[in-house]
Each structure stands twice: as structure tokens, then as C-alpha cells.
Amino acid sequence: MRFRNLLCCTLAACSLHVSAQTPEEVKAVFPNAEVVYTNYEKTLTFKKKDGIPVAESDYEIDMMMLTDNNSKMVSRYRVSHSGYSELASLDAYSKIPVKNSFKKIKVEDIKTSSTQQSNIFLGDTKESVFDFPALTQNSIAHLNYTLLHKDAHLLTPFFVPNGMPVYKTSYTVVVPNGIYISYIVKNDFENVFQFSVEKKQKETIYKWTRNNVKNVDDYYTAPDDRYYMPHIIVYVTGYEDKSGKQNFLSSLDDLYKWNFSFTKEINLQQDPSLKS
């Protein structure tokens, strides 16, 4: 089960409006579920910094506890980030039902530490871990966070989260004039994503939505998710600067030039011992 989860904290309380989805509405779609993503939104916004494309990802996530059985087990959440995708903000709290409203209990204790990935010799990946406090039946774990992508070459694909059912999810990409993108939708053989494009005066907004997604069983010996799960890859092909349009990742040649830039200053003179 690929939950992303959290750590213990105490509390600031206030009342909030009722969730957009009631427990009854969610149970009608997923009658056997114990925890459901009632909302999972990602918004990728491009901009320029020093004339070069950069981006930021804004996440808004709600998980509803439909029973008390696993409320504590799924209370722990992890947000991954790194030097290239810097965690700019994080706000998390529990919404506990009280009569016709909710009481908000804010996450206060967030622990950040370095993590080591098994397929990477040395990386700078970090993990911010926390617990949603006081989760009970019909309560909601709410999370907003923002990642700043310092290099637009290194964007991650969008996957619908797995590990629990998803009532509603969306992926929005905001592209200002002067930046050009392309996208690939992988493994969507049944057209499960609903797609729209909205052109405005200064930007274009691409949006993919999907509702009522059942959990997919995860097998240890199965191929990587990218092999069979529907997902969306967005990448920058070019941008405008004072000299005109510049290529970014429009071709395999662009990818080679970018990779070569990391090594072009290495071994400029022949090393006799290495040659030997």
C-alpha cells in the first residue's frame, strides 16, 4: 500500500465549512473503502527566472477517513523534496467533524531528514514527515504544499496516487506566453483522463481530470508503475528571450546538449596514467 503519511503534533482549533463531499457520497462510490482521497490536485505553473524557464508545483490533498479502522495507520504522511525541487511551503491539518462543521487541528511537528534511495549512489533527497492529529471516522486529513523546480529539465510525471481509492483528481499546467511545452499521456488506452485547453491573453491552461479511481493492487515483482499505469509527462520544448526562440527539450539533440554541458569541461587534457 503506497500511502504517503505523517507524525504527532498538537493543536490549533477553529471551525471550518463542511467538505465538498459528504461521507455518504463517497461511500456510495467506494462502499468497501476505509480511506479515500476525496481530492488530489496538482498545479504545475511555469515562469521565467533570469530569462530561463523554471516551474513550481502546488499540491492540494484531502483524505477522508470512512472508518476508524485505519485512521491512525494512515495518519503519517511523507513529502519528498530536494535541492532541485525545493519545498517552499507546507500546511497540514486535520478536520474533525463537530455537529454540522469541522474543528481544525493544525500539524505542528514536522521532521525533515535526508533519505537515501536504493538506486542512487548519493543524492540530496529529503523527506518531511508528520502525523495528522486526532483522525477519527469521517474526519479529513488536509495538506497543501509547494515545490520549486529550479531546473525545468527535471520535472516529474503526474500519476494518480495509488494505495487507496481516489474520488476526484486533477492535473493543471499553466504556461505563460513565451514558453512552449509538449506533453505525452502514457498508458491511457481507455481514455480515462478528461482533457481541456483554455487559452487566455497571457497564458494557456492545460487540464487533465479523472474521477472515481479504484485502488490498483501493487505487487512487489511487478514492473515499475511507469510501465503500465496511466500518467502524464509534460516538458518544455522552447522559450523566448531577447534573441528570439530558444530550444530547450524539443529533440533528442537538445537532451544530448544539456547532458553534455555537465561533462564538457572534464578531461580537457589527456591523462597519461589513465591512457596507460
Side-chain angles (χ1 to χ4, degrees), residues 219-252:
Y219 299 97
Y220 177 75
T221 55
D224 185 270
D225 285 356
R226 288 169 289 190
Y227 184 77
Y228 64 94
M229 294 287 287
H231 61 283
I232 302 160
I233 302 169
V234 171
Y235 58 99
V236 178
T237 59
Y239 63 96
E240 299 278 355
D241 65 10
K242 295 179 181 179
S243 302
K245 186 175 180 179
Q246 306 297 324
N247 288 345
F248 198 78
L249 280 178
S250 63
S251 66
L252 190 61

Side-chain angles (χ1 to χ4, degrees), residues 20-242:
Q21 293 81 38
T22 66
E24 291 72 26
E25 290 172 328
V26 178
K27 287 177 183 177
V29 178
F30 304 111
N32 299 317
E34 296 183 345
V35 185
V36 172
Y37 282 107
T38 51
N39 187 47
Y40 189 97
E41 297 181 10
K42 177 182 176 181
T43 300
L44 177 66
T45 304
F46 288 99
K47 57 187 70 175
K48 289 182 184 177
K49 183 177 181 181
D50 300 326
I52 304 297
V54 295
E56 68 178 42
S57 292
D58 295 294
Y59 291 82
E60 183 169 357
I61 301 168
D62 287 295
M63 296 184 295
M64 181 179 286
M65 312 296 132
L66 297 178
T67 73
D68 275 329
N69 294 346
N70 284 322
S71 296
K72 291 182 179 179
M73 187 177 74
V74 302
S75 66
R76 177 154 295 180
Y77 205 91
R78 292 175 168 83
V79 174
S80 296
H81 48 100
S82 69
Y84 284 105
S85 293
E86 187 178 275
L87 183 63
S89 65
L90 191 157
D91 182 35
Y93 52 83
S94 298
K95 296 163 65 176
I96 312 302
V98 179
K99 296 183 179 180
N100 294 324
S101 187
F102 284 93
K103 180 175 72 173
K104 174 181 172 181
I105 305 179
K106 188 173 176 63
V107 169
E108 300 287 357
D109 186 13
I110 302 174
K111 290 182 168 61
T112 299
S113 60
S114 298
T115 60
Q116 188 64 44
Q117 296 169 274
S118 59
N119 60 336
I120 296 177
F121 176 69
L122 183 63
D124 71 341
T125 304
K126 297 180 180 179
E127 204 171 56
S128 293
V129 184
F130 53 95
D131 283 329
F132 288 107
L135 292 178
T136 59
Q137 185 173 359
N138 297 336
S139 61
I140 295 171
H142 177 85
L143 170 65
N144 287 92
Y145 67 94
T146 299
L147 297 177
L148 301 181
H149 307 294
K150 298 179 180 180
D151 190 335
H153 291 91
L154 302 172
L155 304 177
T156 55
F158 174 78
F159 285 85
V160 176
N162 199 18
M164 65 182 78
V166 181
Y167 188 82
K168 182 176 67 173
T169 184
S170 67
Y171 180 39
T172 303
V173 180
V174 182
V175 186
N177 297 342
I179 294 179
Y180 306 94
I181 69 158
S182 190
Y183 58 85
I184 304 170
V185 181
K186 302 285 286 183
N187 303 329
D188 189 10
F189 307 113
E190 299 178 355
N191 295 317
V192 295
F193 287 110
Q194 302 298 311
F195 176 63
S196 65
V197 180
E198 182 182 3
K199 292 187 178 294
K200 296 187 174 183
Q201 186 176 2
K202 296 183 178 181
E203 63 189 17
T204 302
I205 300 173
Y206 304 81
K207 188 170 186 177
W208 292 265
T209 60
R210 190 178 176 191
N211 298 329
N212 303 338
V213 185
K214 295 181 180 179
N215 180 44
V216 177
D217 289 333
D218 184 28
Y219 299 97
Y220 177 75
T221 55
D224 185 270
D225 285 356
R226 288 169 289 190
Y227 184 77
Y228 64 94
M229 294 287 287
H231 61 283
I232 302 160
I233 302 169
V234 171
Y235 58 99
V236 178
T237 59
Y239 63 96
E240 299 278 355
D241 65 10
K242 295 179 181 179

